Amino acid sequence: MPLPDSSHAVSVCLPTWKSVIGYEEARDKVVRKMRIGYPRFFRHPLVKRLTAMAAEEIAEEGEEAFVFPNKVAAQRAQRWIERRAEMAVRAEGFHGMHVLAVPVKARQEAVDYQRFTGELVSSRQAEDFLEGKVRSGDKSHLLQRRLGKLLSVEPDHVFIYNSGMAAITAVLRSLPGVKEGKKTLQIEFPYVDALKVQEQFGNGVVFLNQAIGESFDEALRRIRQGEFAGVFTECPSNPLLRTIDVPRVAAACAEGGVPFIIDDSAVGPSNVTALKYADVVTTSLTKWLSGTGDVMAGMASIRPDSEHAGSLLSSLAEESLRSTPLYIGDAEVLLSNLKGFPARMAAHNANGVAIAKMLADHPAVAEVWHPSLTTKEDYDKIRAPRGGYGPLLSFVLKNPKKAPKVFDALEVSKGPSFGTPFTLACPYTLLAHYTELGWAEACGVSSHLIRVSCGAEDTAGLVSRFETALAEA
């Protein structure tokens, strides 16, 4: 079932540990029952119908069609796929959109491109096309105004994209150092595709799994020497909810003239003031700002007094307008969903703290990650004056073999993504790193880790559900 119950939901019910494994292994008995999925990983039924029409019109035998929102996005994808697959790809216009006719042997490269960059045709755009009422126009300027007010910056320093990953990819492309051939630096274990996009679309990435000790000191030295095209981090990180010493990294970046990019999606801009320190902040608007789980969008914000603002402003504006604009129908839904933010975050934050404390005190739980418990001192350095510790947390059991039983017994919604009004849990590592579980384990991310996005339900009732499930351990 879609989560929420909407034809444009961004999550899907995977209610058991076994069903998650079945999804990852593409088992027919799971996949054929899925009415929907996370849009970058699972082609939406409406987009599937649109793609079938494009294939019938454009694709030839031995080719598969991939639809892009515009010519710029399609041509970029074409160059990337051709370079990776070493075979020709055709690009054709298609009723205001663009289609790549990709040889079947290069199919995976095309799938990867759309997954990493988030440059997709949305389900609403596909629906409008299929119903013969595709709309032109743009309402991103209204979102820029609304979000600029929230961030205390001018609207022209806020840029809107059709997904959070599209925002991150746009920032990476805009870094002058990337054009000069420099690598980027990723500090802390990040959301899976935030690292992948640096690996695949930059010049490579130096990855520092944890911002402590001599390795961190060495990374700061290299930053001060101007070695990197940019420094990326998440505050806090996902799924381990750790926060680095942001002021210390910001000072090193300023000294070395290196852009500092923070993603605040895990807790949202009402809880942390990342833009006070970062040159650019990326945010998945799909998550807490939308708060409903029925629209995909992303944002990049530039600190007005950043020394890099001049070079980044024009580049990010072009990316937003020409490459990955937000469809007008999605913009309207997001504008409506933004009502009540950030006030509604109070209930989410309260449940996050309550569940984190209950788990930390439970005899069956080995470890809990939540900003109220994890690197709290560093989180407090960037916590907003009225901000909380966020609704996202992760935990592992003392007996990891019991994780499937506990997860299956947990009476909350279960599926990928976070930021919904209802609590949403998933075996995060299985969903994000199924083909690289050993690597994730080596980075301290257990394959039995359960991530929880706390909704706005009654706190006592929610705590009781977790206690009942943990009885299985």
Side-chain angles (χ1 to χ4, degrees):
M1 290 180 62
L3 294 175
D5 185 13
S6 162
S7 59
H8 304 290
V10 301
S11 189
V12 62
C13 182
L14 292 169
T16 64
W17 197 273
K18 190 178 286 188
S19 68
V20 170
I21 293 173
Y23 164 71
E24 286 297 326
E25 296 183 351
R27 294 179 190 170
D28 187 57
K29 66 180 181 180
V30 173
V31 176
R32 68 183 167 83
K33 292 180 181 177
M34 292 174 65
R35 288 159 44 195
I36 213 161
Y38 196 72
R40 288 190 299 105
F41 293 83
F42 186 93
R43 187 174 280 174
H44 192 284
L46 293 167
V47 177
K48 203 171 185 177
R49 285 174 56 196
L50 171 69
T51 303
M53 290 178 64
E56 189 175 342
E57 187 173 315
I58 291 168
E60 298 174 356
E61 189 176 349
E63 293 179 332
E64 187 168 335
F66 287 82
V67 186
F68 288 82
N70 55 49
K71 186 176 182 179
V72 173
Q75 287 179 334
R76 279 180 169 164
Q78 180 185 23
R79 290 192 293 270
W80 192 83
I81 296 164
E82 287 181 337
R83 188 168 61 250
R84 300 271 298 186
E86 298 182 340
M87 55 182 67
V89 172
R90 291 189 300 111
E92 301 277 351
F94 179 71
H95 305 284
M97 294 169 279
H98 270 70
V99 173
L100 293 187
V102 179
V104 172
K105 288 183 179 179
R107 179 185 186 279
Q108 191 57 49
E109 282 77 8
V111 169
D112 288 346
Y113 184 90
Q114 290 197 318
R115 169 193 156 177
F116 295 146
T117 65
E119 294 173 3
L120 305 162
V121 170
S122 78
S123 57
R124 283 189 181 83
Q125 186 172 355
E127 182 178 58
D128 285 353
F129 176 84
L130 293 167
E131 294 178 357
K133 56 178 186 181
V134 171
R135 302 164 60 194
S136 58
D138 175 47
K139 289 197 174 180
S140 288
H141 63 288
L142 299 178
L143 285 166
Q144 287 176 288
R145 260 188 250 161
R146 183 85 62 86
L147 294 165
K149 190 174 181 181
L150 177 70
L151 298 167
S152 300
V153 297
E154 292 299 316
D156 62 0
H157 281 63
V158 178
F159 303 95
I160 309 300
Y161 303 88
N162 63 2
S163 69
M165 281 311 305
I168 292 173
T169 306
V171 170
L172 180 71
R173 287 178 177 143
S174 300
L175 298 176
V178 168
K179 300 177 180 70
E180 297 165 9
K182 293 181 179 180
K183 293 182 178 182
T184 51
L185 172 66
Q186 173 69 47
I187 304 180
E188 270 296 340
F189 191 91
Y191 168 66
V192 53
D193 286 341
L195 186 62
K196 299 289 186 191
V197 80
Q198 294 175 70
E199 292 173 343
Q200 302 292 340
F201 296 91
N203 305 300
V205 55
V206 175
F207 172 45
L208 180 62
N209 184 49
Q210 200 166 355
I212 56 173
E214 293 181 3
S215 297
F216 183 44
D217 292 337
E218 173 64 13
L220 292 172
R221 183 189 66 78
R222 294 171 70 180
I223 293 169
R224 287 192 290 268
Q225 290 180 343
E227 182 177 330
F228 301 108
V231 175
F232 288 77
T233 195
E234 297 171 1
C235 290
S237 64
N238 175 19
L240 297 183
L241 285 306
R242 295 191 301 228
T243 305
I244 67 171
D245 188 338
V246 170
R248 193 176 173 199
V249 175
C253 286
E255 186 176 334
V258 178
F260 186 22
I261 303 98
I262 294 177
D263 189 277
D264 66 0
S265 300
V267 295
S270 66
N271 283 320
V272 292
T273 54
L275 200 58
K276 180 180 177 181
Y277 298 97
D279 297 288
V280 184
V281 172
T282 56
T283 306
S284 173
L285 300 174
T286 312
K287 309 301 193 302
W288 299 114
L289 282 104
S290 170
T292 305
D294 64 351
V295 63
M296 290 272 286
M299 167 175 71
S301 316
I302 297 177
R303 195 180 81 241
D305 62 349
S306 165
E307 65 174 291
H308 307 286
S311 63
L312 292 173
L313 281 168
S314 59
S315 182
L316 288 176
E318 184 176 348
E319 289 278 345
S320 175
L321 288 170
R322 295 184 61 229
S323 181
T324 50
L326 184 63
Y327 181 61
I328 186 170
D330 293 307
E332 288 172 345
V333 172
L334 183 55
L335 281 164
S336 177
N337 289 355
L338 279 169
K339 293 172 184 173
F341 183 88
R344 57 179 149 82
M345 290 301 293
H348 290 280
N349 288 341
N351 280 342
V353 170
I355 297 299
K357 185 178 186 308
M358 184 275 291
L359 291 169
D361 293 340
H362 198 283
V365 175
E367 190 165 4
V368 182
W369 293 273
H370 183 255
S372 67
L373 306 169
T374 310
T375 58
K376 182 176 180 293
E377 184 179 339
D378 286 325
Y379 182 88
D380 282 341
K381 292 175 185 176
I382 62 167
R383 185 158 62 96
R386 296 183 181 180
Y389 291 95
L392 200 65
L393 60 94
S394 300
F395 70 97
V396 291
L397 301 173
K398 288 177 180 175
N399 182 353
K401 291 181 180 178
K402 294 284 188 179
K405 273 194 169 185
V406 169
F407 180 77
D408 291 357
L410 184 56
E411 292 185 347
V412 300
S413 293
K414 297 167 195 168
S417 194
F418 61 89
T420 50
F422 47 86
T423 295
L424 189 58
C426 69
Y428 175 84
T429 319
L430 296 185
L431 280 169
H433 299 283
Y434 195 73
T435 60
E436 51 187 18
L437 292 176
W439 174 78
E441 289 271 8
C443 293
V445 184
S446 169
S447 59
H448 294 91
L449 178 144
I450 297 172
R451 189 187 71 182
V452 181
S453 168
C454 294
E457 301 97 332
D458 170 70
T459 302
L462 191 59
V463 168
S464 176
R465 292 184 214 176
F466 275 84
E467 288 175 339
T468 300
L470 285 165
E472 295 292 332

